[in-house]
Amino acid sequence: MTEPPSRPALRARELHKSYGRHRVLRGADLTVAPGELAGVVGENGAGKSTLLQILAGTLAADQGTVELGGTLGYCPQQPVLSDSLTVAQHLQYFAAAFRLPDLRRGEELLDRLGFRQYRDRTVGELSGGTRQKLNLTLALLHEPDVLLLDEPYQGFDWETYLRFWDLVGELREHGTAIVVITHLVFEQDRFDTLADLADGRLAVRRTSTGSSDHVHA
Amino acid sequence: MSTPDLRPGPAAAATAAAAKPAFSPFATALRFALRNQTRNRLAGMLLVAFVPVWYLLMLLMVGHQSLEFRLFATGRVLAVDGGHLTLISAGLNALTLIVGFAVFDAVRKALAFDRRLVFAGYRQNTLIAAKILSVAVVAAAVALYTAVVLLAFWRPDPVGWLAVLGGYTVSALTYGAFGLLLGVLVKGDLEGFFLIIMGGLMDTFLQNPLGNPLANKPVLQWFPSFGPMQFAVGGALGHTALWGHLALGLAWAAVFALAGLLIFHRRTRSCS
């Protein structure tokens, strides 16, 4: 294992989580460096979404620590949106939350993800794929240092899927640490590291893409 | 478990300090909370259609028989036109259901989204203040509409009408706060709707002495509509301003709102 060149963007240690008698996490560790793209894989029910929710702070772990080296963006698996607001109003609401000086980034993401034509439509009228685009956009709006994405491309068409990966590539180049839950075997070479969640623990392996200066668990 | 830094970090803070935020958090939250609470088409239809129809039905059913109504503050028993009394009671009945339903539905649907906003950096107190104000605005608007429609069926003197409006407003606030409490508390739509319908019907029905064995009994004092009904009837039919009873209604609203907001605070906070 190589020592990190700088402070990790995300470091989780000894995470434990049980639902009743079912122990989902049993000491999971994960460390991600700035600019690193880490994929979390595992069988259905292995606890991937639980792990990401704990990393994001939306779910309490029974035990363990999570340290973040900067601002956080979290894209939950199920879009968390308001059906009665338009796409543009969502951007305004989250710009207020992040105290952004303008909507430039949001407007840019409407173009990048190809859903500008729905800007003034209420979310209740949108298809699942477009809702997911907005769900992702809200996580990216404030250009976070750490990005946690739980199967962020569900419902995307192929073109949008490819645009998503272009966007991820740019974010990496700008030093964003990214953790993605993925099921797709064919895309696993896109990641620097893959963390396999099995029996409540993460086994991290470097892919052929992974560069030597990235941090592993 | 350590606390992840979910707030904008040093870089974002520097950006924020350098440039003024484009959207005021409070004004934005208020605008969208109002939009959420006024987008309920069913509640809108009920307001437009149900209120006048309900007034009409109740008036046709009761006619103008004389009824006795006790003003608890003075001990006086008023002999009143049963039709007028029933109209006041019917208005309270209709608006408690509509406001309670509209606020419950909006708050419940927005809860997960509010939580996401808090995680994105919204202060819980800002969202809470916006919610309270939006509930108050919606409640006041529904109360005003219900009191204006009343004029089509009965023209009390202006002071009496203002007393009815005061009672309606406080009752609407109480059931708005009740809707807020249920919106953050109950898990399913059905439980919430059932509690609002049953609670509102029972509460407002019992205040009317028409065919009600509990009429004018002290037990009525323990129901949320008691204060507003006393104030409205006292002002419209007894020429008495029972401010203490109006305050009692406001106390119910405050208790429901406080309980609801405490639960909201708890359910939208970070788990880490």
Side-chain angles (χ1 to χ4, degrees):
Chain A
M1 179 174 153
T2 313
E3 283 303 310
S6 59
R7 187 185 169 206
L10 170 72
R11 179 182 283 156
R13 284 181 179 164
E14 278 295 306
L15 294 180
H16 291 256
K17 180 70 184 177
S18 298
Y19 294 110
R21 287 185 180 176
H22 179 45
R23 295 176 65 192
V24 180
L25 300 180
R26 309 174 182 207
D29 297 311
L30 182 68
T31 305
V32 186
E36 180 178 356
L37 175 59
V40 176
V41 294
E43 293 177 357
N44 289 338
K48 301 183 295 297
S49 291
T50 296
L51 171 70
L52 222 64
Q53 286 172 44
I54 290 172
L55 296 179
T58 61
L59 182 69
D62 297 333
Q63 195 183 319
T65 61
V66 178
E67 295 167 32
L68 285 175
T71 53
L72 175 70
Y74 171 50
C75 179
Q77 187 178 26
Q78 298 299 328
V80 178
L81 306 167
S82 174
D83 279 357
S84 64
L85 301 182
T86 65
V87 169
Q89 286 168 338
H90 276 80
L91 299 185
Q92 292 166 22
Y93 220 157
F94 278 78
F98 295 128
R99 291 162 182 75
L100 301 179
D102 54 54
L103 286 181
R104 258 182 302 183
R105 178 64 171 161
E107 297 289 346
E108 182 195 334
L109 288 165
L110 292 184
D111 291 326
R112 294 294 304 273
L113 293 170
F115 68 121
R116 170 166 293 284
Q117 64 272 35
Y118 302 108
R119 192 180 184 283
D120 297 317
R121 297 273 284 274
T122 55
V123 163
E125 300 173 71
L126 302 180
S127 68
T130 310
R131 290 167 68 91
Q132 187 60 22
K133 289 178 189 179
L134 179 58
N135 192 38
L136 176 63
T137 297
L138 299 181
L140 298 173
L141 204 59
H142 58 308
E143 301 180 64
D145 303 309
V146 180
L147 195 52
L148 306 175
L149 308 175
D150 193 345
E151 298 188 52
Y153 31 65
Q154 283 190 77
F156 282 5
D157 53 42
W158 182 247
E159 191 186 342
T160 311
Y161 174 78
L162 295 177
R163 287 183 189 188
F164 163 77
W165 281 112
D166 288 344
L167 198 57
V168 167
E170 286 173 28
L171 291 167
R172 277 169 78 190
E173 284 173 20
H174 287 97
T176 308
I178 305 169
V179 179
V180 183
I181 289 182
T182 177
H183 277 300
L184 306 177
V185 176
F186 67 85
E187 69 179 16
Q188 294 185 356
D189 280 345
R190 292 180 182 274
F191 295 94
D192 298 316
T193 51
L194 279 174
D196 197 351
L197 185 59
D199 298 324
R201 293 189 181 84
L202 283 165
V204 180
R205 59 191 156 91
R206 188 188 302 269
T207 67
S208 54
T209 316
S211 59
S212 60
D213 58 355
H214 286 149
V215 177
H216 296 255
Chain B
M1 183 77 196
S2 70
T3 304
D5 178 14
L6 300 175
R7 310 288 174 198
T15 309
K20 196 176 169 221
F23 299 94
S24 147
F26 178 72
T28 307
L30 178 61
R31 186 176 141 218
F32 293 141
L34 275 171
R35 185 181 164 92
N36 264 339
Q37 285 177 18
T38 52
R39 292 279 294 183
N40 188 325
R41 284 185 190 160
L42 181 58
M45 277 167 51
L46 284 175
L47 191 63
V48 172
F50 177 66
V51 170
V53 169
W54 194 234
Y55 275 138
L56 183 64
L57 276 177
M58 294 305 285
L59 193 59
L60 288 175
M61 206 168 74
V62 176
H64 291 280
Q65 59 180 289
S66 182
L67 287 176
E68 287 190 341
F69 186 86
R70 177 181 291 275
L71 289 181
F72 282 79
T74 61
R76 280 169 64 199
V77 177
L78 304 175
V80 298
D81 182 317
H84 296 162
L85 186 68
T86 298
L87 282 172
I88 295 175
S89 173
L92 282 175
N93 180 214
L95 69 84
T96 53
L97 295 182
I98 293 167
V99 174
F101 166 60
V103 174
F104 165 75
D105 190 50
V107 169
R108 201 177 105 69
K109 281 183 180 158
L111 193 59
F113 187 67
D114 285 335
R115 193 158 188 252
R116 187 172 186 184
L117 285 167
V118 170
F119 274 80
Y122 244 104
R123 290 191 181 92
Q124 285 176 301
N125 290 344
T126 305
L127 287 179
I128 284 171
K131 250 180 221 309
I132 289 178
L133 194 53
S134 67
V135 169
V137 169
V138 168
V142 171
L144 179 63
Y145 171 82
T146 311
V148 167
V149 174
L150 175 72
L151 295 174
F153 301 91
W154 170 42
R155 295 284 173 99
D157 63 66
V159 176
W161 182 79
L162 285 173
V164 172
L165 176 62
Y168 279 8
T169 305
V170 170
S171 209
L173 284 172
T174 303
Y175 274 81
F178 186 49
L180 190 152
L181 171 62
L182 293 179
V184 295
L185 190 63
V186 302
K187 294 208 167 149
D189 282 338
L190 204 58
E191 293 100 306
F193 294 150
F194 183 80
L195 287 169
I196 287 166
I197 291 168
M198 291 308 293
L201 274 179
M202 191 172 68
D203 176 24
T204 54
F205 170 77
L206 289 179
Q207 304 300 326
N208 189 344
L210 180 73
N212 166 20
L214 285 177
N216 300 326
K217 298 282 192 304
V219 68
L220 293 184
Q221 297 176 60
W222 299 102
F223 288 84
S225 284
F226 170 74
M229 181 72 173
Q230 288 280 314
F231 183 82
V233 176
L237 302 173
H239 306 292
T240 313
L242 303 174
W243 296 109
H245 283 78
L246 197 64
L248 180 64
L250 279 175
W252 273 99
V255 168
F256 283 143
L258 188 65
L261 295 173
L262 283 174
I263 296 170
F264 176 83
H265 199 275
R266 189 178 166 79
R267 293 193 64 179
T268 55
R269 71 182 176 183
S270 168
C271 292
S272 46

